[in-house]
Amino acid sequence: MVDLDRTPSPEFSPWAMGEDFAPLPEYKVATDTVLDFGGLLPAPLKLHEDLSSGCGGQLWPAGMVLAKHLLRYHQKDLQEARILELGAGGGLVGLSVALGSKLQNPLYITDQEEMFALMGHNIELNNLQGRVEARLLNWGEPLSQEIVDFKPDVILAADCVYFEPAFPLLLATLTELLTLCPSTTIYFCFKKRRRADMQFLKKAQKTFHVVEVEDEDRPIFSRQGLFLYTFTKKQ
Ligand SMILES: C[S@@+](CC[C@H](N)C(=O)[O-])C[C@H]1O[C@@H](n2cnc3c(N)ncnc32)[C@H](O)[C@@H]1O
């Protein structure tokens, strides 16, 4: 099981804090990780982690926080949702939700080309074929017709704030998704590593109605620089 408090290498760990640069994940060999979020999952989630395709190939701290939050507080109300995850990496958050909730719709986990094979591998590892679909979705590019038709009303985004040039692209995609379905709730969790990360939040506050989410673990994860919000359409 993975311990949220582990801090193996402060300078190059994704769990690290730094003001001036976004640290790259520490290189680790490909491995299979098993998680049950303290018993919140009926069957453990199996995740293959492999950094050879990119930084999303390992689990990240905001993904752990968001997955646990959704399992603890939203298992029931997500059952009828149309869920799409952005920057899913290996699929930590989306796959957790699919294992924990009796979803009536397929759940889409999305990322860039480099992550596609890993997302597919992890879907199979958890026997979630047909219930979870992996798709390419590059932030800032127009949404595919399939996603437009799906009209997601719950968006998951964990640890997607770490590379400043991508901020406007991510904001553009979030805006497009909220325009597509104005009742959408975006669950947005990130770890502050640099001052610029808070600029992302300031920009989001100009565009969306941003609310910091209650969670019994908040005192713990906020000490680690982790923030959990919902973004909804401004009235
Ligand atoms: C830090 S990882 C987080 C992975 C996962 N959400 C988690 O919490 O474990 C960020 C993810 O965002 C994806 N990403 C970065 N830039 C992107 C872009 N322009 N379009 C789509 N995905 C992007 C990366 O490929 C990576 O998988």
Side-chain angles (χ1 to χ4, degrees), residues 55-56 58-60 62-63 85 87-89 92 111-112 115 137-139 158-160 162 169:
C55 69
Q58 75 170 67
L59 54 84
W60 284 66
E85 183 179 7
L92 164 65
D111 206 296
Q112 295 180 300
M115 288 297 126
L137 194 161
N138 293 308
W139 307 334
D159 247 324
C160 291
Y162 65 101
L169 305 177

Side-chain angles (χ1 to χ4, degrees), residues 19-96:
E19 285 300 310
D20 300 314
F21 70 107
L24 292 169
E26 167 198 351
Y27 183 79
K28 64 178 189 183
V29 287
T31 182
D32 283 342
T33 300
V34 178
L35 300 159
D36 78 347
F37 297 96
L40 287 168
L41 276 178
L45 168 71
K46 296 172 219 141
L47 266 193
H48 185 64
E49 295 187 77
D50 185 354
L51 276 173
S52 62
S53 13
C55 69
Q58 75 170 67
L59 54 84
W60 284 66
M64 293 292 289
V65 167
L66 181 55
K68 191 167 186 183
H69 175 82
L70 295 169
L71 292 171
R72 183 185 273 153
Y73 298 104
H74 295 287
Q75 276 193 32
K76 286 231 164 63
D77 56 60
L78 287 178
Q79 286 178 0
E80 289 174 23
R82 299 181 302 277
I83 305 172
L84 177 130
E85 183 179 7
L86 297 173
L92 164 65
V93 183
L95 295 175
S96 302

